[in-house]
Amino acid sequence: MASIDVCYSPELLHLYDLKGKAVVAVDILRATSTMVTAFAHGAKDIFPVMELEECRAFSGEGCLTAAERNGIKAEGFDLGNSPFSYMNGAVNGRSIAITTTNGTRAIRLSEAAEEVIVGAFLNLKTVAKHLKELALDVVVVCAGWKGQFNLEDTLFAGALVDYLQKDFAFENDATLASLHLYQAAKTDVFNFLRQSSHVRRLENLGIHEDVQFCLQHNLYEVLPVWRQDRLIDLKS
Ligand code: MLT
């Protein structure tokens, strides 16, 4: 039986051997939720990069550029990191280069894996189904906040374990704790997260709707995966 592990922060990745495994990279608020939404609204492919300058350089290649730091859209880029900015035909058929505070870093630091999948509550069931088909050992890599643990990514990890616990074994307590947290939260994830640091950070920035939107389960059948230098949607 394949196993599933949870890594609470990219800073802990050196403790995990990703070779031959499937990684699910997650940043619920908001990077991976936004990427899933972009593909659901027709984005062609997405280039997640670490640095602002790297992202800016893509504008010369007909790409839309998106950048966020500390929850705020960075100056001089076409888009920020709110899923709502990727709707209404804004990204249909377009390539997007994106850099965010944590999410794009979690994806790029997972490249050693056999398969890197972008996960969010919005595409939870689609990700779970793909993992069963792959039958590889899994590591859920939580983006966290600047190396710190965060609650929302951990709840997603718990939701995935909750879905897969009949098909995947788990040993480490990080996985067990995320499962228990999700089971405690699942009847009202929004209220469970109300006091969490990033929800308060976004609220202080006047960003309210994004939180509710990103906590919806199974809104899209989208499956972003890493291929060479970009993300593509395996379901398109
Ligand atoms: C991140 O990558 O840290 C987040 O997505 C930040 C945000 O946009 O809320």
Side-chain angles (χ1 to χ4, degrees), residues 36-111:
V36 166
T37 303
F39 278 119
H41 287 85
K44 178 168 165 285
D45 46 25
I46 296 178
F47 297 84
V49 295
M50 301 253 217
E51 306 305 335
L52 291 168
E53 286 323 307
E54 227 181 325
C55 190
R56 213 188 293 282
F58 275 85
S59 64
E61 297 165 31
C63 269
L64 286 172
T65 59
E68 163 276 334
R69 287 294 181 266
N70 301 310
I72 300 165
K73 175 182 177 302
E75 283 303 313
F77 291 85
D78 304 312
L79 299 160
N81 200 24
S82 169
F84 292 103
S85 322
Y86 292 73
M87 300 177 183
N88 312 324
V91 301
N92 193 25
R94 301 297 304 272
S95 295
I96 305 164
I98 183 168
T99 181
T100 71
T101 311
N102 305 286
T104 49
R105 196 161 175 280
I107 293 167
R108 296 305 301 266
L109 291 177
S110 302
E111 283 180 58

Side-chain angles (χ1 to χ4, degrees), residues 186-204:
K186 69 182 182 185
T187 53
D188 190 347
V189 177
F190 179 68
N191 268 313
F192 194 87
L193 282 172
R194 206 175 257 293
Q195 292 312 314
S196 65
S197 58
H198 201 47
V199 167
R200 285 185 286 115
R201 189 176 295 114
L202 292 173
E203 300 260 341
N204 292 340

Side-chain angles (χ1 to χ4, degrees), residues 6-12 102 142-155 157 173-174 177-178 181 192-193 196-198 201:
V6 176
C7 173
Y8 284 151
S9 158
E11 305 310 316
L12 294 171
N102 305 286
C142 299
W145 181 260
K146 299 185 179 178
Q148 301 275 341
F149 166 98
N150 81 16
L151 197 48
E152 62 271 15
D153 297 345
T154 305
L155 289 182
D173 289 354
S178 58
L181 275 171
F192 194 87
L193 282 172
S196 65
S197 58
H198 201 47
R201 189 176 295 114

